[in-house]
Amino acid sequence: MSTTMQQYIDEAEKALLHTYNRYQVVFDKGDGVYLYDMDGRRYLDFVSGIAVFALGYHNEEYNDALKAQIDKIEGTGLGMAITKNIVEMMNGTISVESEPGKGSAFTVELTLKLQDVEKN
């Protein structure tokens, strides 16, 4: 297992509830019915289309058609609500400044502990 994949797994262990024993893998990409981990190992996706729905197709025509459709619609507005909840869970703040015709600037403020580089 690569160091990078193990680092992702270690970070996930800090944030996820330990409701069951998870298989130690981080999927990097999907292609058709296959998933690929960060070390390039291939897995057959028997579950629910993780390769397609979460990691994407490699079919350029499909990607272009999907992007054209997405570009025609507005967002659902869920992104900011989710962001706000995450920021608040981290005891941070989020603010916005908007100017019609110019756009909006969002500011997220978090207090984070610096990693001790000497230990790593």
Side-chain angles (χ1 to χ4, degrees):
M1 181 180 307
S2 70
T3 303
T4 305
M5 185 160 48
Q6 187 60 52
Q7 289 169 332
Y8 281 118
I9 290 169
D10 292 344
E11 284 299 312
E13 287 298 315
K14 293 177 192 174
L16 299 174
L17 293 175
H18 297 281
T19 55
Y20 58 91
N21 190 14
R22 290 179 176 81
Y23 185 69
Q24 299 285 305
V25 65
V26 176
F27 293 119
D28 183 46
K29 64 181 179 181
D31 188 8
V33 296
Y34 293 103
L35 298 166
Y36 295 86
D37 69 15
M38 296 181 74
D39 293 331
R41 287 187 294 267
R42 185 174 76 168
Y43 302 80
L44 185 58
D45 182 5
F46 282 113
V47 185
S48 61
I50 296 170
V52 172
F53 295 111
L55 301 172
Y57 283 104
H58 283 276
N59 181 325
E60 289 301 317
E61 289 179 20
Y62 176 83
N63 290 342
D64 292 342
L66 185 59
K67 183 176 182 328
Q69 290 177 1
I70 291 170
D71 288 345
K72 292 178 186 177
I73 60 174
E74 293 286 324
T76 62
L78 289 175
M80 286 309 299
I82 293 168
T83 301
K84 179 180 180 288
N85 287 337
I86 292 170
V87 169
E88 287 177 352
M89 284 190 303
M90 297 177 73
N91 296 316
T93 61
I94 185 168
S95 60
V96 62
E97 291 181 25
S98 294
E99 191 171 331
K102 286 196 168 186
S104 301
F106 295 89
T107 303
V108 173
E109 294 183 11
L110 300 170
T111 302
L112 302 172
K113 182 180 176 185
L114 292 175
Q115 181 179 6
D116 187 353
V117 179
E118 296 297 319
K119 288 184 180 178
N120 298 319

